[in-house]
Amino acid sequence: MDRQMILSQSSVMGVRGLQGFVGSTCPHICTVVNFKELAEHHRSKYPGCTPTIVVDAMCCLRYWYTPESWICGGQWREYFSALRDFVKTFTAVGIKLIFFFDGMVEQDKRDEWVKRRLKNNREISRIFHYIKSHKEQPGRNMFFIPSGLAVFTRFALKTLGQETLCSLQEADYEVASYGLQHNCLGILGEDTDYLIYDTCPYFSISELCLESLDTIMLCREKLCESLGLCVADLPLLACLLGNDIIPEGMFESFRYKCLSSYTSVKENFDKKGNVILAVSDHISKVLHLYQGEKKLEELLPLGPNKALFYKGMASYLLPGQKSPWFFQKPKSVITLDKQVISMSSDSESRQEVPMCTDPESGQEVPMCTDPESRQEVPMCTDPESRQDVPMCTDPESRQEVPMCTGPESRQEVLMWTDSESRQEIIMYTGPESKQEVLVCTDPVSKHEDSMCTYPEINQKLPVATDSEFKLRCTNPEIKQEDPANVGLEIKQQVTMVSDTEILKVARTHHVQAESYLVYNIMSSGEIECSNTLEDELDQALPSQAFIYRPIRQRVYSLLLENCQDVTSTCPAVKEWFVYPGNPLRHPDLVRPLQMTVPGGTPSLKILWLNQEPEIQVRRLDTLLACFNLSSSREELQAVESPFQAFCCLLIYLFVQVDTLCLEDLHAFIAQALCLQGKSTSQLVNLQPDYINSRAVQLGSLLVRGLTTLVLVNSACGFPWKMSDFMPWNVFDGKLFHQKYLQSEKGYAVEVLLEQNRSRLTKFHNLKAVVCKACMKENRRITGRVHWGSHHAGRWGRQGSGSHRTGSGYSRSGQGQPWRDQGPGKEADGHSTGPPAWRCLSPCAFADNCLPLFQK
């Protein structure tokens, strides 16, 4: 793949304009290095320590996907082979790789996520326009990664024996934190945020030559030297320029003023380059003069964005780090087992803080005292140990170090948690007391119980404690008041599931990249799915987001166990799924859907923790119930691996979408059978006669179905082996495209199967299973010659200007009709214009739909 193309596509990640600035204005920041030489140097410097590179896998997907064909649904065998070569190359020189994947989208980055998804929608429209005009794959300048690539890459790397982790927040923070804490050789990725973090060296994946192991190292120290800044200033610069948290337009006027007063404008630099130099100059020559004397909101036009700005700054602080921009007139800095707590005070706050002495350092340590009672703040009680837990304890000296605020200050409380590293960040700011305190705890200290008391309202403000269980500790003697009544912003994460044992299991599977979406549903009740190659103008095929929604709804019912009680009120899950016509202004609110499991729905403890052999049968029963295919259990059990799961998916698809025909079924089955006997080199040389837009969409639809299988299999306790529905075992994009074109032209089954008689028997067996199961659901699969006129547009495209109401089959209460599900549609399917609420359940009844806003 062209590296410039990769670079341009990845440069939007991180700090705005910084990638181009580094490449054009300050090329000396980039140094050519060789990983083999770096590893040898690392071994000599740290004997017995294996050189380790932490890899931001999401940045690397475009680089790793080297197959020439990307339009047909993915060349998964080729891709797996490329990953294997990548791993082997580093292993051969003694370098260990640790791979991190994004496990969720943080709320502060949701707007940026939406912006990129909508941009992708426009690119996909151009792709389908090109296909229809030229009947060939577009050039690399329009490259779009195959659907499901991130999900299946996790499992591919685990299959290759690599340590693969899934983050509990945006992966870049956990990557930077891991690299720093584990003394890694460096970070491999393509995100300018890694130039901002004060962590180990940052290497470019787009500049990596795998044959020689040469790449570019981007040096943050040289960047600082060029800008006249220190490393601690970089988070401030990043926020003023704009990043994934701070919108670029927030400080546009400020940057313009900096540029207007900048006296060293370089004529040979572009405007963005001069803006970066001007803002850096303002930081070094103006803001530095008042550092520690004035607060940032006195120096910058933060306005109502103050909280977001401070959070953006703090997002770059790794465990044990602090920012000089957060604190003024510090009286003491206490270091507790790599944990840095800084206190600040101001004479205007009229606050007196009693001091005691740290026995080891001899420093004065502020103690938190209620100014009215003159008593030390009570400790909270650990719910499990029943022991008092001090607010902050030095593991060696056992000295309590509470924190406090001024009683007359109006205080804002900002709180966020790094769940994976167990880092908890809480910032207290008081506009009147002029006090700011930021705590950045370190996972090494295992200190997770911190409290702060606001004496004026007699309320404890807990920091998130155990990230697995979200336990809270309170003192019963202190009155709890409604935060809404006292004007405090308290951010407490509430999980959808209260069973801590089950939540812990889900979290472990998530972090170890062994499941997909399960923990997200159970913890936050919010999931997302990125773009799929879908033709918004195709009125016959529904979006994958709607086709597989009934399955997800049954999974919600399983994971949110209270929903299995018909008398209980089930919470809705927020779905950020990209589909044509969805403006992504709000998530779709989707209720769980009741399902019927033979013998009753087993609990998650039975499915996940019970190791008795007979439980495997109940796991499979539950999985089939999620697909609403319990009646086909006998037929599916007769199918051999790896086609059992594949047939399950085909049955579901053909029951749900009646515009799928017999020729489509032949193509799906033929490609799966022929794939088993083909080598990677044979697949590389395969070339379809031309590219068909419908086949492109069907390929992506099937792959999204495979990711849905991963979700269901995870939720049900893994009744099937994950390898059975990994795409490199059951699907190849070009091979499917070839079979689709042949089947569409009416080629005989023998031709589809390449005259292989042994495949012919398997073909007819698999076809019989699918057709028989569909007939049980009153769905007869016919060839195109038998189609009636209603098949031309049975499925109205969601969100499109028109919609058709053909007489095609619909199963009442089983997830239909699709045509009423688009944004701006009420339960009766009529458009409401800008929606106050949407019908988001797959049934046509209003009682299953949730209002987005109460007017």
Side-chain angles (χ1 to χ4, degrees), residues 24 46 76 91 218 221 240 296 366-367 401 455 559 638 717 741 808:
S24 61
Y46 305 102
W76 296 97
T91 304
L218 293 91
E221 287 76 16
L240 291 175
L296 282 175
M367 296 296 294
V401 186
L559 296 179
L741 297 178

Side-chain angles (χ1 to χ4, degrees), residues 198-481:
D198 188 3
T199 183
C200 58
Y202 161 43
F203 305 107
S204 169
I205 180 66
S206 69
E207 298 296 331
L208 174 65
C209 175
L210 197 59
E211 291 76 15
S212 64
L213 281 179
D214 287 339
T215 190
I216 295 296
M217 180 179 73
L218 293 91
C219 180
R220 64 183 63 87
E221 287 76 16
K222 290 183 179 179
L223 174 64
C224 288
E225 183 182 339
S226 300
L227 299 177
L229 303 175
C230 60
V231 173
D233 297 327
L234 292 178
L236 177 59
L237 174 67
C239 290
L240 291 175
L241 294 177
N243 54 26
D244 291 345
I245 294 178
I246 308 296
E248 189 174 5
M250 184 179 292
F251 293 101
E252 187 171 1
S253 322
F254 171 79
R255 292 193 297 270
Y256 178 78
K257 289 179 181 178
C258 290
L259 185 60
S260 300
S261 60
Y262 184 50
T263 58
S264 304
V265 173
K266 305 292 192 298
E267 292 184 2
N268 56 329
F269 291 176
D270 60 15
K271 182 180 178 181
K272 284 191 174 181
N274 276 310
V275 165
I276 292 175
L277 291 173
V279 173
S280 302
D281 185 71
H282 184 82
I283 293 173
S284 63
K285 293 182 179 178
V286 178
L287 300 187
H288 269 176
L289 295 177
Y290 300 99
Q291 191 178 57
E293 297 295 328
K294 289 187 177 182
K295 301 174 69 173
L296 282 175
E297 58 263 36
E298 299 177 67
L299 302 170
L300 297 172
L302 301 187
N305 302 308
K306 172 185 170 183
L308 181 61
F309 182 79
Y310 274 117
K311 186 168 184 180
M313 289 270 292
S315 69
Y316 290 109
L317 292 182
L318 303 178
Q321 295 180 350
K322 64 176 182 177
S323 170
W325 293 103
F326 284 161
F327 312 105
Q328 49 279 337
K329 297 183 181 178
K331 284 191 176 180
S332 64
V333 176
I334 314 151
T335 303
L336 305 178
D337 189 19
K338 295 186 181 179
Q339 175 175 336
V340 178
I341 301 177
S342 296
M343 302 290 298
S344 66
S345 63
D346 193 293
S347 57
E348 296 178 24
S349 69
R350 291 172 296 201
Q351 174 187 358
E352 294 182 4
V353 182
M355 308 296 292
C356 64
T357 303
D358 182 346
E360 287 191 287
S361 66
Q363 287 184 309
E364 288 187 328
V365 180
M367 296 296 294
C368 185
T369 305
D370 185 327
E372 295 179 8
S373 66
R374 309 302 296 174
Q375 294 180 352
E376 293 183 13
V377 176
M379 294 187 295
C380 65
T381 301
D382 186 318
E384 290 187 292
S385 66
R386 302 290 183 184
Q387 294 179 346
D388 286 342
V389 181
M391 288 167 281
C392 183
T393 304
D394 182 338
E396 296 181 4
S397 68
R398 302 295 181 186
Q399 180 186 9
E400 297 168 19
V401 186
M403 297 178 62
C404 61
T405 65
E408 297 182 32
S409 66
R410 290 188 57 79
Q411 186 182 51
E412 297 174 8
V413 181
L414 307 177
M415 201 157 23
W416 54 99
T417 305
D418 169 11
S419 305
E420 170 62 13
S421 66
R422 293 194 172 120
Q423 179 196 17
E424 293 147 2
I425 303 174
I426 180 166
M427 184 166 69
Y428 306 92
T429 65
E432 294 181 13
S433 69
K434 305 277 183 77
Q435 179 186 18
E436 294 176 352
V437 179
L438 182 137
V439 182
C440 189
T441 68
D442 181 48
V444 179
S445 69
K446 305 299 181 184
H447 172 68
E448 298 174 312
D449 293 308
S450 301
M451 303 291 291
C452 184
T453 298
Y454 191 15
E456 186 180 41
I457 62 172
N458 294 323
Q459 181 182 19
K460 283 202 167 188
L461 307 176
V463 183
T465 57
D466 192 313
S467 59
E468 295 174 3
F469 310 129
K470 308 297 182 293
L471 299 177
R472 305 284 175 182
C473 56
T474 58
N475 189 307
E477 298 176 1
I478 297 180
K479 182 180 178 182
Q480 295 284 327
E481 297 188 28

Side-chain angles (χ1 to χ4, degrees), residues 770-797:
V770 175
C771 291
K772 182 178 179 181
C774 287
M775 285 299 295
K776 285 185 178 181
E777 302 297 332
N778 209 20
R779 164 75 157 102
R780 182 168 176 262
I781 305 174
T782 60
R784 290 184 181 175
V785 68
H786 301 293
W787 279 14
S789 60
H790 70 275
H791 281 94
R794 158 72 178 83
W795 301 107
R797 169 62 65 191

